[in-house]
């Protein structure tokens, strides 16, 4: 219809505008926005201005993001700023503004300008979280640093950013074409409350100063604008280019403002908030002088002699101004800087380097070399030459924790690359770190460029030991020394109060969590080394009897009264199969503690169980121990519960485990009291579908031949599920499950006749298959030998696609199947019916297949 409207004279196509406004609100967009944009141009050029404006207002309407009500206490504490949205893709929105709105401006003038300003106003209102009607700070100096095109605008502000450009360009075109005066446009912009409109007005005054010279002078002499950081960029540029337009009295007024200096009271307040300290007299003087230097920079080409001399003195004292025209200037981030390069540090002796680290002091310049930057270089040097630094590790005692942290990080990274070193001095330094109080007396770090305490170093010590045990890099003779460091680390607190992190994520990011994981690796390290002793004929106790220190720690952290951390409980789930390997007898005796069954400790059960299911493959020996816990987990499917692990679907992983145990023969299919039957009864259609698709994906990913017994077991599973759907009074409850057979079909592991028959049976009930495009591709491969069966399946897929979009992904494949079927007497009639059906739905290109016949 819009194509037709575009080919009509505008006085006729205008009659379709009301319908076009409704079509613009359709959820099916595709190419619609661009055609609507073309219609706006068509109407504008044809003199149908009011209709074009009406259509534009609907097409470019700005809508608020729907707010989601908080469902948990955690969600209430986590805020994300709302973003305005358009009816369609942002790219299409911008294309309309670029290609079609300029023609509307030519036809409608100020009316089009006001329309775009209304849209920008809405976009700003819908992007603010505050409800304070008097708060007019739009934050535009952050999301749109410059009104003109500028590299600083690289952080895209979305629809707001696009509309700023459109308003700016539209205003310029009106002034250049004499369609509106600069004065009218500036006043229209300044009536809006948001700073971005005032910034656009200042930009236009700089761009066209001769068209409104009195306004230029008025704005430059406005102290509110002079002090407002929100309009700083455009005001600075206007000052730079137009300061000479002020008379001597007006210029003197501005010099007096500069002489008076900044708001020192506000500076003192801000500084105290950031550092908990009142700034010194020297800091205050330095701030005032830099502020004066930056303001003089704006008008440096217009300074009289005395002020020019003053400006040069300030530059000599404090250096050149760094982008003072921007309240916030974003530089390409390359990371913290080091005062010495890796080559310079590598050339130093270890003792000399430590002396340098002890004496070097960073400046307060944000972009100057920092302890963090120096620490990164140190760590990289140590990683490449760990032996030299490990021998003299003890000389790092007494250094800032940032640098001790760097040493440990470099040694850890060296271990990962299989570069070992002498552990004795390293463990001695680790012991010294462990003995230090967490907080460092007199050590403050408000700028986040150095470690504030010893926690980061303890974190990396846990990682260092863990890596050493895992890679068997630590000598068994150092068992006692390494344990004397590891055991205290398991006692450092774990903070579980992260609102957006789940227990296993907290565990791998905190000292106690890392340390307890390292305890498991320590036990596995002992087991490997003790096995070597057994080979030499030495009698070694089994399980935790030969490592009582490990059992003591593990038992202590299972006591909820001593350690109520869900993060720590998740460690037991994460390493459960290895605990079974280390001492199955201990595990069986502690099952009720690891996975408590009483309701009061449900959260501890969930933290361990969900982490176990998410992070571990299914092991047969573990299943023997956890059989009743698997059944209990299946029994709770569908019940309301708060997920402990937020980052993945635990129920889907549980289904994966069950399917694996089934095809291994560990679970019986037809046991009415069994886990699998309970799973089919309790699981949702979506979860059952996931289970079936998991089997299919696993089959497809298996490259080697599959045992015929396993294949038969899998076939029996499918036939049982298909029969359940066929005999159900509500077959619509099996749609996702049956659709997942598509993965089995494309695996190519079954007899083709059986597979295509099952596919068709599933399609008759579900009307869909997944993944449809791959299923159709596989049908193409079978079409020559089974033309009737393949076209029959294709017909079911097409008729099941109610929305009619899926076919766009496999049109060519469908044509191949249909063309093959048309050549077969048995399949021909079905193929013709499919083509006619497609034609009735608007896919006329398939009719060519009939013409060819």
């Amino acid at each position: 219809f819009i194509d037709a409207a575009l080919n009509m004279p505008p006085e006729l196509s205008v009659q379709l505008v009301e319908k076009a406004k409704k079509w613009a609100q359709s959820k099916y967009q595709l190419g619609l926005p661009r055609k609507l944009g073309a219609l706006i141009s068509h109407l504008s050029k044809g003199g149908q201005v009011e209709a074009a404006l009406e259509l534009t207002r609907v097409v470019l309407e700005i809508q608020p993001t729907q707010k989601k009500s908080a469902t948990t206490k955690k969600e209430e504490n986590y805020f994300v700023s709302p973003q305005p949205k358009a009816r369609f893709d942002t790219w299409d929105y911008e294309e309309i503004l670029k290609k079609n709105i300029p023609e509307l401006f030519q036809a409608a003038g100020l009316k089009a300008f006001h329309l775009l300003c209304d849209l920008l106003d809405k976009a700003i209102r819908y992007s603010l979280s505050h409800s304070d009607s008097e708060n007019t700070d739009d934050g535009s100096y952050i999301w749109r640093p410059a009104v003109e095109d500028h590299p600083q605008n690289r952080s895209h502000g979305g629809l707001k950013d696009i509309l700023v450009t459109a308003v700016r360009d539209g205003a310029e075109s009106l002034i250049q074409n004499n369609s509106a005066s600069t004065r009218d446009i500036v006043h229209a912009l300044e009536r809006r409350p948001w700073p971005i409109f005032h910034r656009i007005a200042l930009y236009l005054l700089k761009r066209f100063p001769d068209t409104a010279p009195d306004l230029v002078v008025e704005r430059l002499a406005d102290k509110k604008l002079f002090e407002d950081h929100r309009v700083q960029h455009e005001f600075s540029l206007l000052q730079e280019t137009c300061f000479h337009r002020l008379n001597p009295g007006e210029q003197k007024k501005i010099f007096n403002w500069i002489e008076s200096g900044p708001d020192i009271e506000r500076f003192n307040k801000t500084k105290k908030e950031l550092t908990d300290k009142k700034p010194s007299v020297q800091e205050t003087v330095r701030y005032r002088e830099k502020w004066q230097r930056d303001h003089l920079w704006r008008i440096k080409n217009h300074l009289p002699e005395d002020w020019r001399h003053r400006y040069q003195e300030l530059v000599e004292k404090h250096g050149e101004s760094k982008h003072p025209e921007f309240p916030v200037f974003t530089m390409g981030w390359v990371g913290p800087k080091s005062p010495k390069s890796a080559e310079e540090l590598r050339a130093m002796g270890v003792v000399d380097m430590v002396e340098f680290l002890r004496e070097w002091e960073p400046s307060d310049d944000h972009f100057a070399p920092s302890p963090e930057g120096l620490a990164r270089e140190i760590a990289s040097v140590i990683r490449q030459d760990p032996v030299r630094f490990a021998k003299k590790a003890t000389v790092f005692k007494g250094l800032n924790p940032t640098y001790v942290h760097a040493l440990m990080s470099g040694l850890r990274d060296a271990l990962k690359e299989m570069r070992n070193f002498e552990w004795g001095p390293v463990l001695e330094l680790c012991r010294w770190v462990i003995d230090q109080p967490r907080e460092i007396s007199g050590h403050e770090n408000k700028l986040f460029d150095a470690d504030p305490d010893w926690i980061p170093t303890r974190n990396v010590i846990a990682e260092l030991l863990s890596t050493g045990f895992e890679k068997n890099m630590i000598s068994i003779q150092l068992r006692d020394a390494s344990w004397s460091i590891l055991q205290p680390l398991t006692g450092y607190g774990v903070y579980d109060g992260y609102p957006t992190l789940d227990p296993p994520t907290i565990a791998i990011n905190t000292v106690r969590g890392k340390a307890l994981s390292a305890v498991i690796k320590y036990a596995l390290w002992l087991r490997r080394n003790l096995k070597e002793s057994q080979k030499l004929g030495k009698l070694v106790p089994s399980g935790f009897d030969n490592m009582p220190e490990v059992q003591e720690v593990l038992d202590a952290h299972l006591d909820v009264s001593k350690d109520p951390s869900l993060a720590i409980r998740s460690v037991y789930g994460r390493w459960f199969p290895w605990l079974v390997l280390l001492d199955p007898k201990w595990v069986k005796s502690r099952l009720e503690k690891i996975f408590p069954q009483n309701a009061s400790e449900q959260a501890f059960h969930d933290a361990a169980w969900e982490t176990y299911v998410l992070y571990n493959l299914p092991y047969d020996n573990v299943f023997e121990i956890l059989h009743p816990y698997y059944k209990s987990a299946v029994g709770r499917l569908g019940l309301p519960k708060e997920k402990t692990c937020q980052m993945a679907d635990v129920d889907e992983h549980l289904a994966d485990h069950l399917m694996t145990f089934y095809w291994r023969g560990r679970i019986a299919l037809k046991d009415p009291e069994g886990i699998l039957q309970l799973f089919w009864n309790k699981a949702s259609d979506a979860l059952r579908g996931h289970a079936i698709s998991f089997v299919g994906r696993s089959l497809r990913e298996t490259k080697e031949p599959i045992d015929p017994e396993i294949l038969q077991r899998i076939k029996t599973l499918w036939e049982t599920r298909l029969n359940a759907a066929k005999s159900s009074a509500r077959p619509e409850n099996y749609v996702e499950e049956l659709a997942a057979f598509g993965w089995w079909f494309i695996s190519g592991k079954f007899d083709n006749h059986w597979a295509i028959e099952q596919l068709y049976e599933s399609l008759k009930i579900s009307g869909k298959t997944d993944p449809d495009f791959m299923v159709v591709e596989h049908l193409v491969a079978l079409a020559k030998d089974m033309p009737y069966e393949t076209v029959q399946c294709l017909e079911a897929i097409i008729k099941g696609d109610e929305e009619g979009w899926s076919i766009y992904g496999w049109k060519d494949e469908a044509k191949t199947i249909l063309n093959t079927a048309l050549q077969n007497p048995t399949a021909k009639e079905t193929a013709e019916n499919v083509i006619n059906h497609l034609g009735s739905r608007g896919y006329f290109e398939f009719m060519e297949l009939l013409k060819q016949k």
Side-chain angles (χ1 to χ4, degrees):
F1 279 106
I2 297 175
D3 282 337
L6 292 171
N7 284 282
M8 296 177 187
E11 59 270 19
L12 292 180
S13 55
V14 73
Q15 297 178 47
L16 284 172
V17 167
E18 286 304 316
K19 288 186 178 294
K21 286 159 61 176
K22 292 180 180 178
W23 298 333
Q25 300 172 56
S26 167
K27 65 179 179 179
Y28 302 110
Q29 294 292 334
L30 297 180
L32 185 61
R34 278 163 281 171
K35 291 182 185 263
L36 289 168
L39 184 55
I40 291 169
S41 292
H42 184 61
L43 295 168
S44 299
K45 288 186 288 187
Q48 304 297 323
V49 176
E50 293 302 322
L53 287 167
E54 286 180 30
L55 181 58
T56 302
R57 197 174 294 278
V58 174
V59 169
L60 298 183
E61 183 182 8
I62 299 294
Q63 301 172 318
T65 302
Q66 292 296 323
K67 294 181 179 179
K68 295 181 180 178
S69 58
T71 56
T72 67
K73 196 73 175 173
K74 292 179 180 180
E75 290 179 24
E76 290 175 3
N77 296 330
Y78 192 76
F79 170 74
V80 178
S81 296
Q83 290 298 325
K85 62 179 183 178
R87 295 189 184 281
F88 42 82
D89 186 81
T90 305
W91 187 88
D92 282 326
Y93 196 95
E94 188 170 15
E95 285 297 294
I96 292 173
L97 287 172
K98 286 179 179 178
K99 292 181 178 179
N100 309 118
I101 298 307
E103 289 165 340
L104 180 65
F105 264 75
Q106 286 183 13
L110 276 173
K111 287 185 177 180
F113 176 72
H114 289 307
L115 189 157
L116 284 193
C117 289
D118 288 342
L119 293 172
L120 177 56
D121 185 282
K122 264 191 178 181
I124 294 169
R125 291 183 190 279
Y126 291 158
S127 66
L128 298 178
S129 60
H130 57 70
S131 58
D132 183 358
S133 59
E134 295 182 3
N135 190 337
T136 57
D137 188 357
D138 57 13
S140 61
Y141 65 92
I142 296 173
W143 53 261
R144 179 69 183 228
V147 168
E148 77 274 16
D149 295 332
H150 194 285
Q152 281 294 295
N153 293 341
R154 60 180 174 268
S155 56
H156 203 281
L159 289 173
K160 296 179 296 183
D161 198 17
I162 294 168
L163 285 165
V164 168
T165 301
V167 170
R168 178 201 70 192
D169 292 348
E172 284 187 288
S173 70
L174 292 178
I175 295 170
Q176 289 170 331
N177 297 328
N178 295 317
S179 300
S181 71
T182 303
R183 182 181 305 279
D184 288 343
I185 290 178
V186 167
H187 286 158
L189 288 165
E190 291 180 340
R191 280 195 290 269
R192 306 271 177 170
W194 309 110
I196 188 61
F197 290 102
H198 298 249
R199 292 175 57 203
I200 296 172
L202 292 171
Y203 164 84
L204 293 171
L205 289 174
K206 173 188 173 291
R207 181 88 166 75
F208 305 104
D210 293 330
T211 61
D214 57 326
L215 292 186
V216 171
V217 172
E218 284 179 18
R219 301 305 175 266
L220 288 179
D222 187 335
K223 192 175 183 182
K224 287 185 178 179
L225 291 175
F226 176 85
E227 295 177 338
D228 192 346
H229 71 280
R230 301 174 301 174
V231 301
Q232 180 173 319
H233 178 68
E234 286 69 33
F235 187 82
S236 297
L237 298 184
L238 184 63
Q239 268 193 315
E240 183 182 5
T241 57
C242 296
F243 186 78
H244 66 282
R245 292 174 178 267
L246 300 178
N247 63 44
E250 290 162 337
Q251 290 184 355
K252 183 178 180 181
K253 184 165 63 172
I254 292 176
F255 284 127
N256 288 339
W257 294 344
I258 296 174
E259 181 65 56
S260 298
D263 186 339
I264 296 300
E265 186 178 339
R266 181 188 296 176
F267 169 70
N268 291 341
K269 181 180 178 182
T270 303
K271 186 77 173 177
K272 192 169 190 311
E273 288 175 353
L274 290 172
T275 64
D276 292 334
K277 285 182 178 179
K278 186 178 179 180
S280 65
V281 174
Q282 293 83 357
E283 286 177 315
T284 303
V285 170
R286 184 163 63 248
Y287 170 71
R288 173 192 173 87
E289 290 179 345
K290 284 186 175 183
W291 182 94
Q292 290 175 325
R293 175 203 62 186
D294 292 347
H295 278 269
L296 289 171
W297 174 89
R298 303 176 182 180
I299 51 177
K300 61 185 177 182
N301 296 326
H302 311 292
L303 294 175
E305 188 61 34
D306 55 337
W307 279 101
R308 183 179 295 112
H309 181 69
R310 178 95 164 266
Y311 173 66
Q312 288 171 349
E313 286 182 341
L314 291 172
V315 169
E316 288 174 7
K317 186 174 182 180
H318 298 291
E320 290 282 355
S321 298
K322 295 179 180 178
H323 309 286
E325 76 275 26
F326 286 101
V328 177
F329 187 83
T330 306
M331 298 180 66
W333 192 82
V334 294
K337 297 178 184 177
S338 171
K340 288 189 178 291
S341 67
E343 290 73 21
E344 290 174 313
L345 292 168
R346 198 175 290 115
M348 299 172 73
V350 177
V351 175
D352 292 337
M353 178 191 286
V354 169
E355 280 305 308
F356 171 74
L357 297 176
R358 208 180 302 276
E359 295 174 2
W360 179 72
E361 290 287 340
S363 76
D364 61 354
D365 188 335
H366 182 69
F367 296 104
S370 67
E372 183 184 0
L374 178 55
R376 290 189 182 193
E377 291 294 346
I378 292 169
S380 69
V381 170
I382 294 170
R383 177 181 63 81
Q384 295 170 358
D385 189 10
V387 174
R388 182 163 66 104
F389 288 90
K391 281 182 180 179
K392 294 186 178 292
T394 54
V395 301
F396 278 72
K397 289 181 181 180
L399 284 182
N400 183 299
T402 306
Y403 305 130
V404 182
H405 180 186
L407 171 68
M408 298 299 175
S409 296
L411 294 175
R412 175 204 59 199
D413 294 342
L415 286 181
K416 291 179 179 179
E417 297 172 358
M418 301 305 291
R419 287 197 285 271
N420 208 352
F421 44 79
E422 184 180 337
W423 278 84
V426 174
L427 294 179
E428 184 180 339
L429 177 62
C430 290
R431 182 69 252 180
W432 175 81
V433 172
I434 299 301
D435 291 339
Q436 303 308 303
R438 168 177 170 161
E439 303 295 339
I440 304 170
S441 178
H443 179 75
E444 292 185 354
N445 178 44
K446 296 292 182 180
L447 298 178
F448 307 102
D449 58 359
D451 291 354
D453 50 38
W454 285 106
I455 295 302
T457 308
R458 290 169 179 166
N459 251 312
V460 79
I461 287 174
E463 294 172 359
L464 175 69
L465 291 173
S466 185
T467 306
F469 298 138
E470 184 177 2
K471 296 188 176 294
N472 211 30
M473 295 286 203
I474 304 176
S475 168
I476 191 67
Q477 278 72 38
L478 294 173
R479 172 179 178 172
D480 292 341
S482 58
W483 182 256
S484 71
I485 297 161
L486 181 57
Q487 191 274 334
L489 290 176
T490 65
Y492 288 111
V494 171
Y495 173 56
D496 283 1
Y498 299 93
T500 59
L501 299 181
D502 53 22
T505 304
I506 296 171
I508 63 174
N509 286 286
T510 46
V511 176
R512 192 154 98 246
K514 289 180 182 180
L516 198 59
S517 290
V519 167
I520 309 297
K521 293 184 180 181
Y522 167 87
L524 293 168
W525 168 74
L526 279 182
R527 183 176 182 271
R528 284 193 299 272
N529 283 277
L530 293 173
K531 271 195 168 184
E532 292 298 317
S533 299
Q534 285 179 324
K535 289 179 182 178
L536 297 175
K538 297 180 181 178
L539 184 62
V540 178
S542 62
F544 288 152
D545 289 343
N546 61 34
M547 49 185 91
E549 67 273 31
V550 172
Q551 180 174 331
E552 182 181 356
V553 165
L554 292 175
D555 282 337
H557 288 283
L558 279 176
D559 187 339
V560 175
S561 65
K562 295 179 180 177
D563 194 338
S565 167
L566 298 180
I568 290 303
R569 189 55 57 96
S570 75
V571 175
Y572 290 84
R574 172 68 181 84
W575 294 101
F576 189 81
W578 284 265
L579 291 172
V580 172
L581 174 67
L582 287 164
D583 196 328
K585 187 183 297 183
W586 179 88
V587 168
K588 290 175 183 177
S589 66
R590 305 305 195 277
L591 274 179
E592 285 297 316
K593 289 188 175 183
I594 297 173
F595 305 111
Q597 297 298 294
N598 53 310
S600 63
E601 295 182 333
Q602 185 66 45
F604 293 94
H605 169 281
D606 292 346
W609 176 257
E610 291 179 8
T611 307
Y612 160 71
V613 172
L614 285 173
Y615 286 85
N616 290 291
L617 295 172
Y619 296 100
D620 290 352
N621 63 324
V622 176
F623 182 65
E624 291 177 6
I625 295 173
L626 290 182
H627 186 281
Y629 294 88
Y630 272 100
K631 189 169 184 178
S632 174
V634 172
R636 289 191 293 131
L637 289 175
L639 297 177
K641 61 187 179 197
E642 183 174 347
K643 288 171 62 178
T644 303
C645 297
Q646 302 293 329
M647 303 306 174
D649 194 314
V650 177
D651 291 345
E652 288 185 355
H653 282 256
L654 175 61
D656 298 347
H657 280 223
L658 296 178
M659 293 300 100
T660 304
F661 289 134
Y662 168 73
W663 74 53
R664 288 179 187 166
R666 308 297 298 179
I667 298 178
L669 177 62
K670 296 185 178 180
D671 181 358
E673 302 297 323
I675 294 177
L676 211 51
Q677 189 57 50
L678 183 62
F679 174 79
W680 301 122
N681 291 339
K682 300 285 288 187
S684 65
D685 182 27
L687 184 56
R688 286 183 272 116
H690 172 83
I692 295 297
S693 70
F694 172 77
V695 176
R697 290 170 190 265
S698 301
L699 288 167
R700 188 166 183 269
E701 292 169 5
T702 303
K703 304 305 178 187
E704 63 271 13
I706 298 176
D707 187 319
E709 185 179 341
I710 293 176
L711 271 183
Q712 184 54 53
R713 190 177 298 126
I714 292 172
K715 287 174 68 173
T716 302
L717 170 66
W718 168 254
E719 289 167 352
T720 302
R721 298 310 305 153
L722 180 61
N723 288 333
K726 285 181 176 180
S727 59
S728 172
R730 299 180 65 87
E732 65 272 16
N733 291 341
Y734 291 80
V735 170
E736 298 298 327
E737 182 179 358
L738 297 182
F741 181 78
W743 288 101
W744 296 40
F745 179 70
I746 65 175
S747 72
K749 296 296 190 294
F750 303 100
D751 171 75
N752 287 334
H753 289 280
W754 180 86
I756 203 166
E757 180 184 352
Q758 304 308 308
L759 176 65
Y760 183 61
E761 290 298 315
S762 70
L763 285 167
K764 285 197 298 185
I765 299 174
S766 68
K768 60 183 287 190
T769 188
D770 185 40
D772 60 341
F773 67 98
M774 296 178 75
V775 169
V776 176
E777 283 180 357
H778 197 59
L779 287 174
V780 171
L782 302 179
K784 186 176 180 181
D785 294 329
M786 292 182 281
Y788 176 70
E789 290 85 350
T790 53
V791 78
Q792 194 179 33
C793 288
L794 179 65
E795 180 181 34
I797 293 171
I798 290 171
K799 289 185 175 179
D801 179 20
E802 294 179 359
E803 292 190 345
W805 302 114
S806 298
I807 193 171
Y808 283 108
W810 34 265
K811 279 196 300 185
D812 292 340
E813 288 79 4
K815 288 177 182 178
T816 301
I817 295 168
L818 291 167
N819 196 42
T820 302
L822 287 170
Q823 299 172 44
N824 181 276
T826 306
K828 181 179 179 182
E829 183 179 353
T830 303
E832 290 173 345
N833 290 338
V834 173
I835 292 169
N836 286 322
H837 175 74
L838 287 169
S840 73
R841 295 174 65 173
Y843 301 106
F844 302 119
E845 60 193 280
F846 287 88
M847 305 301 287
E848 295 296 323
L849 297 174
L850 295 178
K851 292 178 183 178
Q852 293 172 14
K853 300 310 294 179

